[in-house]
Amino acid sequence: VIVVLIVISAVVFGLTLKSAFESTFLSRCEKFDQYDCKKVWDAFQQAYVNKDPCKVPVEAYDPLIAAAPFKPQCNRMMFWSKTKDVVHGFTEKRDCFVTLEDTLLGSVLDGLTWCGKEGSKDTNTTGCPGWSDCENNTVRSFWIRASAAFADVACGNVTAMLNGSINTPFNPTSIFASVEVPRFIASRVKNLNVVMVIQKNNISNCTDPYLKNLTQALDKGITYSCKDVPESQIQECGAKPEIACGDCW
Ligand code: N1C
């Protein structure tokens, strides 16, 4: 009897056992109210399960975006390129801006790697193609789709943090330049405020000729401003809640 019970419970346990990936997904998701996380998980999985991980087009994530749509948060939306750590170091401490990683989908999948395999219903977390290994890879297509949806709802005054320590703070191959900026439309977005993050040995700033490509790519009617801000100033504002969001830089 005991053996039978052990076998039965092992089978039941095995059937309900979630992978570590699914557990992470669901526990991160459950921090957000108003969403049916099981539904979001199913919509997510259908994008890549049983597919060649290099053949997942951006549109494969359309049902996922529909299951967890982005809400516009006018005047508070923050975009970034090559400044992830500074941006999130700041947004973690202060409630001034909303980044994609503060939304359900962005926070659930931030830092994760996943892909499927033809003929399998599993989600793998190892052996998946890297960011540039093939164009339509599982992870990259997700970030392109999610970034597009996030940029589609941008409104009011939009902020972007760019990196003054690299040669091309506005790189045409980045998601920011290729996916997000082209989606800012003048009927929704009033102004794009670039915060150029300046470190000790910066090589770029707001006068960088590359930024001409940014102003030219902006929909006519959206105004543009740029401010060089030392990284230490951003960190200080993160550490001092008594400084008003509008006075950080
Ligand atoms: O290519 P990027 O920068 O310009 O993309 C950043 C841009 C941000 O404004 C976000 O809204 O695109 C969005 N985004 C993310 O939110 C995000 N979180 C994590 C894009 N990519 C994101 N990642 C991972 O960072 C992604 O897996 C890839 O490896 C990087 C791209 O960031 P980047 O090159 O610094």
Side-chain angles (χ1 to χ4, degrees):
V1 174
I2 290 171
V3 171
V4 170
L5 277 178
I6 291 173
V7 169
I8 289 173
S9 50
V11 168
V12 170
F13 186 65
L15 286 175
T16 55
L17 190 66
K18 289 186 186 81
S19 67
F21 183 88
E22 183 178 356
S23 302
T24 304
F25 186 105
L26 292 174
S27 67
R28 287 183 180 183
C29 177
E30 271 143 23
K31 298 204 170 71
F32 292 78
D33 305 325
Q34 308 161 7
Y35 292 93
D36 180 343
C37 291
K38 183 75 182 82
K39 262 198 190 138
V40 178
W41 169 252
D42 290 341
F44 170 65
Q45 276 198 307
Q46 65 73 41
Y48 63 88
V49 161
N50 196 12
K51 285 185 192 166
D52 177 334
C54 276
K55 289 184 183 157
V56 176
V58 171
E59 306 77 57
Y61 289 100
D62 287 354
L64 174 63
I65 303 292
F70 294 100
K71 296 181 193 81
Q73 306 219 42
C74 300
N75 307 320
R76 300 184 68 220
M77 295 175 76
M78 165 76 83
F79 297 82
W80 52 267
S81 192
K82 310 287 183 287
T83 50
K84 195 178 184 202
D85 294 344
V86 198
V87 170
H88 292 131
F90 179 75
T91 55
E92 254 164 39
K93 298 191 197 106
R94 296 289 311 263
D95 194 24
C96 300
F97 296 100
V98 178
T99 65
L100 178 50
E101 290 71 29
D102 299 307
T103 67
L104 177 118
L105 290 180
S107 82
V108 161
L109 292 160
D110 192 25
L112 302 184
T113 300
W114 67 93
C115 65
K117 193 176 144 186
E118 272 184 299
S120 159
K121 53 182 176 52
D122 293 339
T123 297
N124 300 318
T125 53
T126 57
C128 297
W131 189 259
S132 322
D133 287 344
C134 49
E135 199 183 313
N136 284 326
N137 75 70
T138 319
V139 173
R140 179 164 149 173
S141 289
F142 166 76
W143 286 111
I144 292 176
R145 186 63 191 90
S147 302
F150 188 60
D152 278 336
V153 299
C155 48
N157 293 314
V158 166
T159 307
M161 275 197 192
L162 303 184
N163 190 338
S165 301
I166 54 175
N167 272 313
T168 50
F170 184 68
N171 190 326
T173 65
S174 67
I175 292 188
F176 177 65
S178 65
V179 175
E180 295 177 328
V181 169
R183 284 185 162 73
F184 298 157
I185 48 168
S187 56
R188 298 179 58 89
V189 176
K190 217 174 128 224
N191 179 70
L192 173 67
N193 180 220
V194 169
V195 173
M196 191 64 77
V197 182
I198 304 294
Q199 290 175 310
K200 276 195 297 289
N201 300 310
N202 68 303
I203 45 178
S204 309
N205 58 39
C206 286
T207 67
D208 189 290
Y210 257 96
L211 291 171
K212 194 108 191 112
N213 300 319
L214 171 51
T215 53
Q216 281 169 357
L218 277 184
D219 192 14
K220 270 175 206 42
I222 301 179
T223 55
Y224 164 85
S225 54
C226 183
K227 195 164 182 185
D228 295 318
V229 182
E231 184 177 9
S232 56
Q233 187 180 331
I234 297 167
Q235 286 162 344
E236 179 171 294
C237 211
K240 290 186 176 160
E242 62 273 22
I243 304 177
C245 291
D247 294 336
C248 279
W249 49 77

